[in-house]
Amino acid sequence: MASLCQTLRKGTVSLSSLVFIFVLWQLWVRFSMSSRFAMAVPSSLVKTDIDVQNSTVLEDFPKRIWTTGPLSPMRIKKEDADRVRTWMDLNMEYRYELLTDGSAETYVKDHFPHHSKIRQTYLSLSDFIMRADLIRYLALLQDGGVYNDLDVGCLRPIDLWIPPAFKDNTSVVLGIEVDNEMGPEKSKLFELVNWTIMSRRNAPFMRFLVDRVIGNLEKDAAAHDTTLANLQPKRQEVIDVTGPAALTEATFQYLSEKTQTTVNMHNFTKMRRPKLVADILVLPINAFGAGHQVQWSGTDEDGSALVHHYFAGSWKTTHFDGPTEEEKKAEEAKKKEEARKKQEEEDRKRKEEDAKRREDEDRKKTEEEERKKKEEQDRQKKAEEDRTKIKEQYEKKKAEEDRKKKAETSNQQIAIENQSTTQSHNADEGQGKGQEQGQPSPQGDQDQQNGQQQDGEGEEGGAEEQDNGPEEKHGINDGEQPAQAQQAGQARENKDDAEAVEAREKVSLSVLKQERKNAIEEFNRVNAVRTKTREEAIKKIQADRERDVEERKKDEENKKKLAEVEKMKAKQRQQQAPVQNVQPAPIQG
């Protein structure tokens, strides 16, 4: 180390020295990381059930990680590369190897030169998923290590998978994929995982598994009366011949032979802790089965999961043999859910349409009511204006008549007064003329009057009546004329009042008749508008129906025309096809 430091100070570092430094640094990093993960080992892996039979101390598990894929390492998808990185980051001491279609054939040719049956079976097999199943078993048999599918991510370092109490006696580590005894279905379905397997080199079980799978392939080809090259298996056929079902049956048969007992699913169902039978260590379902579709397979968060399968493979779509019962149930449930959602969506849309229609109807109804109310208000306002106008005209006419009446009465009174004055003046003139003709003296008159008074007091009444007769007659005529004029004026006023009352009644009756006429006209107008609107709506509906019928007819005619055109094109292509295939005859020189 001191010489290395001196060399570094001098600035002359050889390639071997750099390699040595890099190796030391890698060892230090791996040791520190292994120490950190050692503290994080789940408690469920410490509790163990030991059932060791016919087990021996074996060599260490090779530090190799295998996976298969159709592409080269440089062309792996990003999500697959992220999952590969989990294996490399958590297992830095391990060598990661990807077997592609081409490299897998080379691997079989190079490592199984003396096993013609193995080599011939793999190279003859054409189905890619069966080849992927077989190559994982062959790689683990030849070189050992850990196999995982490309869509599996690592959650815990591989060195912590096996509890210390089992490590020396374990040659193969398997996990559980499906255990329906732990779930609600109780359908007796139990399968081991084949997307992740851990094995030592030349493990007896791996040799037993390879022989059994090759035998299954030969039987399957014979059952279909075909060769391995022409074998086209369906999905369940792949699972039973080379997949997890084949691995599960081989495990039960191998352990039954090793333990001389009957080993089946009941030896491993409802497991909560790792279990070692012979040299095979079976882990609980949480270890390799976390993330599976079944709810009782555990989750990554409980700390007992070692890997996570993301189910990104697409091989089931290329090996379809009809849905399984579970898939049928799931598909049926999916269809029911879709139908329910569709029905809910239709109900929601229908409710929205109904609400919108009701809202439109309410709006139209409100608008119609407001329009009618406004029309009624306008009609009432107009009628009120007409009544006010008629009243004003009547009051104006009445005032004019009263004015004329008063003027007439005043003129009559003036005429009567003038007539009275004229008559009185005429009477005074007549008396004056009489006095001038008799020429009596004032004293003589007085004496005559006194004598007459003394001599004929007995005849006083008759003389006074005779002397005063003309004056009394004149007074009665003057008083009778104003009384007659007053009676005539009163009669005229009564007549005018009667005429005014009759005019008012005629005006009121005219107003009522006009209002009734306006109401009838308004009713007829509204009824005519409604009738016209209804007729227009009916005509529009009929026109829409006729237009729809015409459009359907046009669509049918267009379809027929298109069909005829396509038929003519097809006929032309058929007629032209032989012409195009005719080769021109060679020209003779």
Side-chain angles (χ1 to χ4, degrees), residues 287-301:
F288 291 169
H292 196 265
Q293 294 94 330
V294 292
Q295 297 177 352
W296 54 92
S297 62
T299 60
D300 298 343
E301 289 76 13

Side-chain angles (χ1 to χ4, degrees), residues 45-319:
L45 297 183
V46 177
K47 300 176 183 179
T48 59
D49 289 338
I50 301 178
D51 185 9
V52 181
Q53 298 184 29
N54 300 328
S55 60
T56 57
V57 178
L58 304 173
E59 64 179 11
D60 290 339
F61 285 88
K63 295 186 179 299
R64 303 184 73 168
I65 301 173
W66 299 90
T67 191
T68 56
L71 304 175
S72 64
M74 300 303 294
R75 297 175 60 189
I76 294 179
K77 295 184 292 186
K78 182 181 181 301
E79 53 270 24
D80 292 335
D82 293 338
R83 290 187 278 270
V84 169
R85 193 172 295 109
T86 61
W87 291 94
M88 300 178 69
D89 291 344
L90 294 177
N91 306 281
M92 300 182 68
E93 296 181 359
Y94 282 71
R95 176 182 175 183
Y96 194 95
E97 295 194 26
L98 173 66
L99 291 173
T100 63
D101 293 341
S103 62
E105 290 187 0
T106 303
Y107 181 87
V108 172
K109 292 176 182 178
D110 293 343
H111 292 84
F112 297 94
H114 304 297
H115 297 80
S116 59
K117 192 172 185 179
I118 294 176
R119 187 173 64 255
Q120 183 179 358
T121 300
Y122 183 82
L123 298 178
S124 300
L125 190 60
S126 61
D127 185 72
F128 74 95
I129 191 63
M130 285 184 165
R131 287 167 65 97
D133 286 337
L134 183 56
I135 191 61
R136 74 188 64 184
Y137 305 145
L138 295 176
L140 291 177
L141 171 63
Q142 180 65 27
D143 291 312
V146 176
Y147 172 84
N148 63 277
D149 282 345
L150 199 58
D151 57 351
V152 176
C154 185
L155 302 178
R156 294 289 183 270
I158 297 173
D159 292 341
L160 305 180
W161 288 8
I162 305 176
F166 295 153
K167 193 166 187 179
D168 293 338
N169 300 306
T170 300
S171 63
V172 175
V173 179
L174 301 176
I176 300 172
E177 177 182 1
V178 179
D179 184 4
N180 280 356
E181 287 289 324
M182 297 181 68
E185 296 183 6
K186 309 295 183 183
S187 60
K188 304 297 182 183
L189 178 61
F190 181 92
E191 278 186 358
L192 297 173
V193 170
N194 83 327
W195 60 65
T196 299
I197 304 173
M198 186 176 183
S199 175
R200 300 181 191 269
R201 292 181 68 252
N202 295 318
F205 171 71
M206 297 309 301
R207 187 175 299 278
F208 180 87
L209 177 61
V210 168
D211 292 341
R212 184 179 178 87
V213 168
I214 291 176
N216 290 344
L217 288 170
E218 291 176 349
K219 291 178 182 178
D220 192 49
H224 289 284
D225 193 18
T226 186
T227 61
L228 294 177
N230 297 323
L231 185 62
Q232 296 180 351
K234 297 180 179 179
R235 181 172 59 184
Q236 191 59 43
E237 196 173 346
V238 172
I239 294 173
D240 294 338
V241 174
T242 62
L247 171 64
T248 303
E249 291 299 324
T251 302
F252 291 161
Q253 186 176 354
Y254 173 81
L255 293 178
S256 297
E257 294 178 0
K258 282 286 185 179
T259 60
Q260 297 299 312
T261 59
T262 301
V263 178
N264 52 32
M265 62 173 291
H266 299 293
N267 296 86
F268 304 103
T269 187
K270 298 183 180 179
M271 281 177 45
R272 299 295 182 184
R273 294 175 292 181
K275 187 172 185 179
L276 180 65
V277 180
D279 61 336
I280 297 179
L281 178 65
V282 181
L283 302 178
I285 192 171
N286 302 33
F288 291 169
H292 196 265
Q293 294 94 330
V294 292
Q295 297 177 352
W296 54 92
S297 62
T299 60
D300 298 343
E301 289 76 13
D302 61 5
S304 60
L306 304 180
V307 301
H308 185 99
H309 190 197
Y310 292 91
F311 295 93
S314 59
W315 72 272
K316 291 184 179 180
T317 60
T318 60
H319 296 73

